[in-house]
Amino acid sequence: MGRKTANVVLNVLWGEPTIAVDTHIFRVANRTGLAKGKTPLAVELALEKAVPKQFVQHAHHWLILHGRYICKARKPDCWRCIVADLCAFRPKTKKDD
Ligand code: SF4
């Protein structure tokens, strides 16, 4: 079992505060500046430092959903993003881009 899968199991089945860094989380963490890193493990460790303990368990799901539906790979929907004011990504995309 890989580290990402093990983290998902710990998080979902046992409620452990783990963050499994998949492609969405890796992109969102680096793009926003929340937790920069060249590898999934580096991002995982940076997220553990950046995310307050009480939010870690659910941050995993929030970051995946944000990456899947708003901060999408090819072109993020910055114009409808609720954390746009906190995000380091420039330039922000506009609705008609
Ligand atoms: S502002 Fe844009 S780049 Fe930043 S998190 Fe939101 S969608 Fe992603």
Short mmCIF file of all heavy atoms in Angstrom, two decimals, residues 28 31-32 66 70-72 76-79 81-85 87-89 92-93, ligand 1:
data_model
loop_
_atom_site.label_atom_id
_atom_site.label_comp_id
_atom_site.label_asym_id
_atom_site.label_seq_id
_atom_site.Cartn_x
_atom_site.Cartn_y
_atom_site.Cartn_z
N VAL A 28 -3.27 22.41 -6.04
CA VAL A 28 -3.87 23.51 -5.27
C VAL A 28 -2.88 24.05 -4.23
O VAL A 28 -2.74 25.26 -4.07
CB VAL A 28 -5.18 23.05 -4.59
CG1 VAL A 28 -5.69 24.10 -3.61
CG2 VAL A 28 -6.24 22.76 -5.65
N ARG A 31 -0.16 25.97 -6.20
CA ARG A 31 -0.67 27.13 -6.94
C ARG A 31 -1.07 28.27 -6.01
O ARG A 31 -0.80 29.42 -6.28
CB ARG A 31 -1.90 26.65 -7.73
CG ARG A 31 -2.35 27.58 -8.82
CD ARG A 31 -3.61 27.00 -9.45
NE ARG A 31 -3.40 26.40 -10.74
CZ ARG A 31 -4.32 25.69 -11.39
NH1 ARG A 31 -5.50 25.46 -10.82
NH2 ARG A 31 -4.07 25.19 -12.57
N THR A 32 -1.71 27.92 -4.93
CA THR A 32 -2.17 28.94 -3.99
C THR A 32 -1.04 29.48 -3.11
O THR A 32 -1.16 30.57 -2.56
CB THR A 32 -3.24 28.37 -3.04
OG1 THR A 32 -2.66 27.27 -2.32
CG2 THR A 32 -4.47 27.93 -3.79
N HIS A 66 -12.09 21.24 -3.97
CA HIS A 66 -11.75 22.56 -4.51
C HIS A 66 -10.93 22.40 -5.80
O HIS A 66 -11.17 23.10 -6.79
CB HIS A 66 -10.96 23.36 -3.46
CG HIS A 66 -10.68 24.75 -3.89
ND1 HIS A 66 -11.68 25.68 -4.10
CD2 HIS A 66 -9.51 25.40 -4.16
CE1 HIS A 66 -11.14 26.82 -4.48
NE2 HIS A 66 -9.83 26.69 -4.52
N ILE A 70 -13.21 23.81 -8.77
CA ILE A 70 -12.94 25.25 -8.88
C ILE A 70 -11.51 25.52 -9.37
O ILE A 70 -11.31 26.16 -10.40
CB ILE A 70 -13.14 25.96 -7.51
CG1 ILE A 70 -14.56 25.72 -6.98
CG2 ILE A 70 -12.84 27.46 -7.65
CD1 ILE A 70 -15.66 26.42 -7.75
N CYS A 71 -10.55 25.03 -8.63
CA CYS A 71 -9.15 25.28 -8.98
C CYS A 71 -8.68 24.16 -9.90
O CYS A 71 -7.79 23.38 -9.57
CB CYS A 71 -8.31 25.36 -7.70
SG CYS A 71 -6.69 26.09 -7.98
N LYS A 72 -9.28 24.12 -11.09
CA LYS A 72 -9.09 23.01 -12.01
C LYS A 72 -7.72 23.07 -12.70
O LYS A 72 -7.12 24.14 -12.79
CB LYS A 72 -10.21 23.02 -13.05
CG LYS A 72 -11.58 22.79 -12.41
CD LYS A 72 -12.71 22.91 -13.42
CE LYS A 72 -13.05 24.35 -13.68
NZ LYS A 72 -14.29 24.52 -14.47
N PRO A 76 -8.08 27.43 -13.76
CA PRO A 76 -8.88 27.57 -12.53
C PRO A 76 -9.99 28.60 -12.71
O PRO A 76 -9.85 29.54 -13.49
CB PRO A 76 -7.85 28.04 -11.50
CG PRO A 76 -6.77 28.71 -12.30
CD PRO A 76 -6.72 27.98 -13.61
N ASP A 77 -11.08 28.42 -11.99
CA ASP A 77 -12.20 29.38 -12.02
C ASP A 77 -12.01 30.42 -10.92
O ASP A 77 -12.79 30.48 -9.96
CB ASP A 77 -13.54 28.66 -11.81
CG ASP A 77 -13.94 27.83 -13.01
OD1 ASP A 77 -13.24 27.87 -14.06
OD2 ASP A 77 -14.96 27.13 -12.92
N CYS A 78 -11.00 31.26 -11.04
CA CYS A 78 -10.69 32.25 -10.00
C CYS A 78 -11.86 33.21 -9.79
O CYS A 78 -12.10 33.65 -8.65
CB CYS A 78 -9.45 33.04 -10.36
SG CYS A 78 -7.97 32.02 -10.59
N TRP A 79 -12.58 33.50 -10.83
CA TRP A 79 -13.67 34.48 -10.77
C TRP A 79 -14.82 34.01 -9.87
O TRP A 79 -15.63 34.81 -9.43
CB TRP A 79 -14.19 34.79 -12.17
CG TRP A 79 -14.50 33.56 -12.98
CD1 TRP A 79 -13.63 32.83 -13.74
CD2 TRP A 79 -15.75 32.89 -13.08
NE1 TRP A 79 -14.25 31.74 -14.30
CE2 TRP A 79 -15.56 31.75 -13.92
CE3 TRP A 79 -17.02 33.12 -12.54
CZ2 TRP A 79 -16.58 30.88 -14.23
CZ3 TRP A 79 -18.04 32.24 -12.86
CH2 TRP A 79 -17.82 31.15 -13.69
N CYS A 81 -14.11 31.83 -7.12
CA CYS A 81 -13.40 31.15 -6.04
C CYS A 81 -13.52 31.96 -4.74
O CYS A 81 -13.22 33.15 -4.72
CB CYS A 81 -11.93 31.01 -6.42
SG CYS A 81 -10.93 30.33 -5.10
N ILE A 82 -13.93 31.29 -3.68
CA ILE A 82 -14.16 32.02 -2.42
C ILE A 82 -12.87 32.31 -1.65
O ILE A 82 -12.92 33.04 -0.66
CB ILE A 82 -15.15 31.28 -1.49
CG1 ILE A 82 -14.61 29.90 -1.11
CG2 ILE A 82 -16.52 31.17 -2.13
CD1 ILE A 82 -15.40 29.23 0.01
N VAL A 83 -11.76 31.77 -2.10
CA VAL A 83 -10.49 32.10 -1.42
C VAL A 83 -9.55 32.88 -2.33
O VAL A 83 -8.34 32.95 -2.08
CB VAL A 83 -9.79 30.82 -0.87
CG1 VAL A 83 -10.61 30.20 0.25
CG2 VAL A 83 -9.52 29.82 -1.98
N ALA A 84 -10.11 33.50 -3.36
CA ALA A 84 -9.28 34.22 -4.32
C ALA A 84 -8.44 35.31 -3.65
O ALA A 84 -7.29 35.54 -4.04
CB ALA A 84 -10.16 34.83 -5.41
N ASP A 85 -8.98 35.96 -2.64
CA ASP A 85 -8.23 37.05 -1.98
C ASP A 85 -7.06 36.51 -1.15
O ASP A 85 -6.17 37.28 -0.78
CB ASP A 85 -9.17 37.88 -1.11
CG ASP A 85 -9.87 37.06 -0.04
OD1 ASP A 85 -10.18 35.89 -0.29
OD2 ASP A 85 -10.10 37.60 1.05
N CYS A 87 -5.24 33.76 -2.19
CA CYS A 87 -4.44 32.90 -3.07
C CYS A 87 -3.35 33.69 -3.79
O CYS A 87 -3.58 34.79 -4.28
CB CYS A 87 -5.39 32.27 -4.09
SG CYS A 87 -4.52 31.40 -5.40
N ALA A 88 -2.17 33.06 -3.90
CA ALA A 88 -1.02 33.72 -4.51
C ALA A 88 -1.00 33.62 -6.03
O ALA A 88 -0.21 34.29 -6.68
CB ALA A 88 0.25 33.09 -3.95
N PHE A 89 -1.86 32.81 -6.62
CA PHE A 89 -1.84 32.61 -8.07
C PHE A 89 -2.15 33.91 -8.82
O PHE A 89 -3.11 34.60 -8.51
CB PHE A 89 -2.88 31.54 -8.45
CG PHE A 89 -2.94 31.23 -9.91
CD1 PHE A 89 -1.98 30.44 -10.52
CD2 PHE A 89 -3.99 31.72 -10.69
CE1 PHE A 89 -2.05 30.14 -11.87
CE2 PHE A 89 -4.08 31.42 -12.05
CZ PHE A 89 -3.10 30.63 -12.62
N LYS A 92 -5.26 36.17 -11.88
CA LYS A 92 -6.51 35.45 -11.65
C LYS A 92 -7.27 35.34 -12.98
O LYS A 92 -7.22 36.25 -13.79
CB LYS A 92 -7.38 36.21 -10.64
CG LYS A 92 -6.72 36.38 -9.27
CD LYS A 92 -6.71 35.09 -8.48
CE LYS A 92 -6.41 35.29 -7.02
NZ LYS A 92 -4.96 35.30 -6.73
N THR A 93 -7.95 34.22 -13.18
CA THR A 93 -8.74 34.08 -14.40
C THR A 93 -10.05 34.85 -14.24
O THR A 93 -10.54 35.04 -13.13
CB THR A 93 -9.06 32.61 -14.70
OG1 THR A 93 -9.83 32.07 -13.61
CG2 THR A 93 -7.79 31.79 -14.87
S1 SF4 B 1 -8.01 32.02 -6.92
FE1 SF4 B 1 -7.85 30.69 -8.71
S2 SF4 B 1 -5.84 29.72 -8.53
FE2 SF4 B 1 -6.37 30.55 -6.51
S3 SF4 B 1 -7.38 28.88 -5.41
FE3 SF4 B 1 -8.98 30.08 -6.37
S4 SF4 B 1 -9.33 29.06 -8.34
FE4 SF4 B 1 -7.34 28.36 -7.57
#
